[in-house]
Amino acid sequence: GENVEQHPSTLSVQEGDSAVIKCTYSDSASNYFPWYKQELGKGSQLIIDIRSNVGEKKDQRIAVTLNKTAKHFSLHITETQPEDSAVYFCAAGATDSWGKLQFGAGTQVVVTP
Amino acid sequence: NAGVTQTPKFQVLKTGQSMTLQCAQDMNHNSMYWYRQDPGMGLRLIYYSASEGTTDKGEVPNGYNVSRLNKREFSLRLESAAPSQTSVYFCASSEPPLISGAGYEQYFGPGTRLTVT
């Protein structure tokens, strides 16, 4: 089955700096890679996703890159703000499926003013 | 439109007790999921239901049972709770890509924090 590894487990950044979280996956059949943000005491919410037919996707201060050959994908947050503090999860799945996702272990991001 | 709701929010059980965690979604999604979240281990899939009437084991099903009561509701039962089941439990739902032909964002409930003593 799919195995997703996520690094780092914790990330502390100064407000205004960039944050990068990296994930690797093992199953070549995976072609859908979402990122979820979990704020304290809440369920996770999708913030951005990418499919294997593109290498990069941006949405304002958030971007995701995908390297299919190396089987890794990354989340980039620029100009970080205190409200970016949360746990971020990467995941991998297949679009020809019933929607199961394999999640990474999560990255606790702390943005200090 | 409440999205995904879970009850209860908190629960403390003694070893050996049983309980059922309830989950309901109002988005008419076909697929529903139960995860547990433990520190350093992310979200691990316990069981999922691809569509009404079907359930399948996920990564960590031992000690749990599920029921897809109807399209809206998916419950998780602990028959004989153990301290190892102390965790935060999340329910989620999605419209699977096989049906939507598009993306399949999973929508999560707020979670149930369960402690087994």
Side-chain angles (χ1 to χ4, degrees), chain A residues 2-107:
Chain A
E2 176 64 276
N3 182 49
V4 176
E5 294 194 358
Q6 183 172 347
H7 301 278
S9 56
T10 59
L11 182 58
S12 189
V13 296
Q14 288 280 105
E15 183 177 356
D17 288 349
S18 294
V20 181
I21 304 169
K22 298 184 179 182
C23 289
T24 60
Y25 63 99
S26 61
D27 191 347
S28 301
S30 292
N31 60 357
Y32 174 66
F33 306 95
W35 287 87
Y36 284 80
K37 176 182 181 182
Q38 185 182 63
E39 296 179 69
L40 194 61
K42 297 183 179 179
S44 300
Q45 284 194 303
L46 179 73
I47 54 171
I48 195 167
D49 57 16
I50 191 168
R51 296 171 198 280
S52 59
N53 57 348
V54 298
E56 183 174 0
K57 185 176 178 181
K58 284 182 94 168
D59 184 1
Q60 299 183 344
R61 296 185 297 107
I62 294 172
V64 58
T65 58
L66 171 66
N67 183 326
K68 280 194 315 183
T69 305
K71 292 197 183 73
H72 66 70
F73 57 111
S74 301
L75 178 72
H76 305 252
I77 307 173
T78 58
E79 298 171 31
T80 53
Q81 300 167 5
E83 53 263 39
D84 294 329
S85 296
V87 178
Y88 292 81
F89 293 101
C90 64
T95 53
D96 62 346
S97 72
W98 283 101
K100 267 184 12 175
L101 293 171
Q102 183 71 38
F103 284 85
T107 297

Side-chain angles (χ1 to χ4, degrees), chain B residues 13-34:
Chain B
L13 292 177
K14 292 190 188 320
T15 298
Q17 287 185 316
S18 62
M19 80 160 295
T20 300
L21 280 65
Q22 306 286 355
C23 174
Q25 51 93 8
D26 61 3
M27 295 172 282
N28 203 36
H29 286 163
N30 279 280
S31 294
M32 296 186 73
Y33 314 84
W34 274 107

